[in-house]
Structure formats: C-alpha cells, structure tokens
Amino acid sequence: MSVSSTPTSNDACLSIVHSLMCHRQGGESESFSKRAIESLVKKLKEKKDELDSLITAVTTNGAHPSKCVTIQRTLDGRLQVAGRKGFPHVIYARLWRWPDLHKNELKHVKYCQFAFDLKCDSVCVNPYHYERVASPGIDLSGLTLSGAGPSAGLLVKEEFEGQTSHSSADGSHSIQTIQHQPASSHPAPSPALLPPPDATSSASTGGSWSRGSGFPPNLPHQNGHLHHHPPQYWPVHNDLVFQPPISTHPAPDYWCSIAYFEMDVQVGETFKVPSSCPVVTVDGYVDPSGGDRFCLGQLSNVHRTEAIERARLHIGKGVQLECKGEGDVWVRCLSDHAVFVQSYYLDREAGRAPGDAVHKIYPSAYIKVFDLRQCHRQMQQQAATAQAAAAAQAAAVAGNIPGPGSVGGIAPAISLSAAAGIGVDDLRRLCILRMSFVKGWGPDYPRQSIKETPCWIEIHLHRALQLLDEVLHTMPIADPQPLD
C-alpha cells in the first residue's frame, strides 16, 4: 500500500502510525504491529526531532542518516506490548527490518549513542542503528553450508488481543501461536543457521548470516527447496565431523512410535518406526502402513464425526519426520495445509517457556522440532531440581533448620513444593512431540487443547526415553504424593 505523502511529527498520531504500518515486514500480526507502533509514537510525541528521525529512517529504509530514537529503559530491560515482553530494539528491528531476527543477532552501529548494550537510561530503538550479525559465541571460521541446516522458517510471534473467551484453560497464561514459514523465493537468501565446525550437521547451535554478509546470492533456502545457482555454491554436508554419543547404550530397535488420535480417542494401533528407517511419512492415504510410512486414511473409527471426516480429507501428503544423528528430529510439511506442533525445543528457540506456544508449520517448511542434547540437559536439570527440592522439603517437615544457602520464609516453601512436585510424567513429556493436522488450537482457535482437534499424532522418541531411564537410575525421583 503506497502512502501519498510522508507525515512529520506535527501530524496526528493516527497518520504517523498508518504510514509506519505500511513499512512493516509482515512478520508480526497486524494487531501486534499496530500496538507496538502506537506505543512508540505516543512515547515520542514530545520528542519531535526523534519522531522525525524514526519516520525518516523507516520510510526511506535507512537511506538517509538518522538520529537515535529513544525510549526509557525499564528495570529488566524489556518492553511489554500487548501482553508480550521483549527487548525493545529487537521488537522494532523485527517489525521494520528482519521478521525472523533472534535477539542475539543485533549489534549497534558505532554512532549510536543510546544503543541497548550501552546500558544507558534511554534505549535507542531506531532499527537502522543496528546491524544483523551471526549469533555470538560461534566460531565462524571453516563453516560449511549444510543443505539440511535448521529451517529458515520464520519465528514469528502472533499476538491475539481482545479474545477473552480464548484464554488458557487454567487461566495462568495464554499460549501463543508461533509461525514457521518456508523461505520466500526472493533472490536474497534467508538467514541460514549453520553448524559450527565442532558439531554435526544436525547441531542445534548455529549462526545467522545477515543479508548483507557478502555471501553469494541465491543460496539454498532451508526449506528443502534448492534454487538454481552456480555449482560451487551447492550445499556441502559436513558428515566427516564426529560428535560422541550422549550414551554408550545401543540405539533402540525403533527410533519412535506414533499414536494417532481423533479428539481424545486413540484410533488404530501405535505405529513403531524402525531405526533402519530414519525418515517416516505420516499421510492421509489408504495404502497399507509399514516400514517408513504410516497411512491414516485406512484407520476406522465408529465414533468418527462428520467434522473429523472433513478434516481427515485435508491431511493429504501429511508430514515427513526425520531422525538425524543420535536422535534429533526434523519435520517437513508435505500437506497443502499447515500442521501445528507442540515442541519444547521450538519453545526454547523462540524464547518461550516450555509448553507456552503452539508452532504453526506451513506447507513446504522444513524445521527442527527436537534436539536430543538439549532434552538430555533439561531432564538432568529437572531431575536434580526435583530430587534436591524433595530432600529439602523432607528436611523442613522433620524440623531441620534450613542451610545458609536457603532464603527461609513462605515463598521458598511454595517453590520447593512446586519443584518437588516434578514427577516422572513431567520428564517423559520432554521426550514426546504432538502434532495436529489441518486444525490448530490455542487462543486464536475455539479449541483450547490438542485433544479438541479432529486429527493429531503423538510421537514418542525412544532414544530420549532411553536417556531418561538412565537419568532416573542415577537420580531417582519419587512421583509426587498427595498431602495428608
């Protein structure tokens, strides 16, 4: 949408917001973008020179030099917009420049006097006072392009305000939808996450290249669709790099088992995928299932409703699940319709609490949904926390005086009780993926839980469960007991 004339700081807030909205990159939802821009324009209304700098920077795409655009730094450094907290310079850089930006990828330009990292009382949010760089802490020397690198699917946080009827079931927080889209077909490459030289090609860590990083154009997009470009730029698999396994136990015979559900009822038998088939397809066709293919179309259910039947017709080519390395898992959406995933790994990558988001994976997107090493670290941490909390709780019940490291008082007892309440089932959830076809759930849908969606699958990852068994043998935790 074109704007006939660029507004100035003397114009009404509404006109300025409208103009700045026209330059957003489309990553965030319209409602969230509008709230974020309105909030910023109102803060700058008394600082006309800074507001003019913002308008100039955004409407010219940084073509003209502009001053710092500052807002007051909050106590924790984060800004709350429409019930969601984030670092202010990251929020506005995503809005107007890089919709798939990670918070660790920004570096301020030298002439920025109030950059976020300078820890001033004011923070500059001018998106053109920051440059996108590879994530810190990653050795960029000797990197090779991996055609199977993490997806360039956009991590776009969707905001859904004003839908009070769609609050979460327990009322404690609102689950949000995060979108993962296949890379666009523009010539410039989407930032590709690349494995460091000391990791396998399926490593979870990676650096994100800026679009102006000097790399040749037309690099492969990480959604499994390669664009034609000179042969010397074709991706190279880094298969020669070895990473020792987490466990010396032999790999299980089956790398995962998949259960299919309609609403809250399992339909058919659980399908086990042998370790000899690292790639399995789950589709909606009626062919016999076996080996590397689980066909949902041939499963019958006497309680199936018309709505479920309609949804099943749209599963189509479904999804491909791929096990890499010792037990990392990637998903490729082959269906013409998006799939919705519950993934603690993606929650963490998007900066969300575990279980705090539903991830919408668009057709053709190819994305990592499970990282075995991260899962192993989480289970070790949670088991250790639960064990320590249970011991501390038992000591408190016995009347023992807390040690010097404890805080004392009521609040610690509450947190101890919560930590001691971590059971084996909580740890098992770390080893499970859930995915619904066609229909989503969460605050923007009438369905609050995946168990209210017409057709979905639950994937138990056997190597992760095997590691959990080892962790529980070294750090046994009791399931929480009811209080007398």
Side-chain angles (χ1 to χ4, degrees), residues 61-329:
N61 296 324
H64 300 296
S66 53
K67 298 178 185 175
C68 284
V69 176
T70 62
I71 59 172
Q72 188 72 28
R73 181 185 288 271
T74 58
L75 285 174
D76 66 354
R78 295 186 300 165
L79 178 71
Q80 182 158 324
V81 177
R84 202 177 86 204
K85 278 195 166 188
F87 294 114
H89 63 312
V90 176
I91 288 174
Y92 293 107
R94 279 184 185 146
L95 254 180
W96 285 308
R97 296 195 71 183
W98 307 287
D100 52 348
L101 179 73
H102 188 273
K103 64 184 178 185
N104 294 331
E105 293 172 1
L106 283 184
K107 177 186 174 185
H108 63 270
V109 295
K110 288 178 182 175
Y111 52 83
C112 183
Q113 297 175 302
F114 297 95
F116 182 82
D117 293 336
L118 298 180
K119 303 280 194 289
C120 302
D121 289 339
S122 296
V123 179
C124 178
V125 294
N126 184 335
Y128 291 93
H129 275 205
Y130 294 89
E131 294 171 341
R132 190 173 188 174
V133 295
S135 294
I138 291 164
D139 181 8
L140 297 182
S141 61
L143 282 175
T144 55
L145 283 171
S146 167
S151 170
L154 304 183
L155 292 182
V156 182
K157 295 185 174 107
E158 220 18 89
E159 199 70 22
F160 304 98
E161 308 94 341
Q163 299 191 25
T164 50
S165 62
H166 292 168
S167 59
S168 65
D170 62 2
S172 60
H173 65 276
S174 175
I175 293 176
Q176 293 181 341
T177 303
I178 297 175
Q179 302 177 359
H180 302 265
Q181 300 174 344
S184 68
S185 57
H186 297 307
S190 294
L193 296 172
L194 305 175
D198 61 347
T200 62
S201 60
S202 62
S204 63
T205 53
S208 225
W209 294 115
S210 71
R211 284 176 172 78
S213 62
F215 266 70
N218 298 328
L219 284 172
H221 292 303
Q222 302 298 311
N223 64 348
H225 294 180
L226 299 179
H227 294 282
H228 295 290
H229 41 61
Q232 64 266 32
Y233 299 137
W234 284 89
V236 180
H237 286 278
N238 198 6
D239 293 332
L240 301 177
V241 180
F242 176 74
Q243 195 170 32
I246 298 170
S247 169
T248 54
H249 279 191
D253 293 335
Y254 299 92
W255 72 265
C256 77
S257 53
I258 306 169
Y260 169 66
F261 293 83
E262 292 177 0
M263 309 293 277
D264 59 352
V265 176
Q266 182 174 346
V267 178
E269 298 292 318
T270 298
F271 182 79
K272 291 185 176 181
V273 184
S275 294
S276 58
C277 299
V279 180
V280 61
T281 303
V282 183
D283 59 42
Y285 300 125
V286 295
D287 301 323
S289 297
D292 63 352
R293 190 172 173 207
F294 184 20
C295 296
L296 307 178
Q298 42 90 25
L299 299 175
S300 59
N301 176 12
V302 292
H303 301 294
R304 184 173 292 152
T305 63
E306 192 180 332
I308 294 173
E309 195 68 77
R310 277 200 307 272
R312 279 167 52 85
L313 293 174
H314 294 290
I315 296 173
K317 294 178 182 177
V319 293
Q320 225 172 42
L321 304 170
E322 183 174 359
C323 181
K324 291 189 177 187
E326 193 179 350
D328 293 353
V329 180

Side-chain angles (χ1 to χ4, degrees), residues 25 86 171 180 306 367 373 480:
Q25 292 300 301
H180 302 265
E306 192 180 332
I367 191 163
R373 287 179 188 276

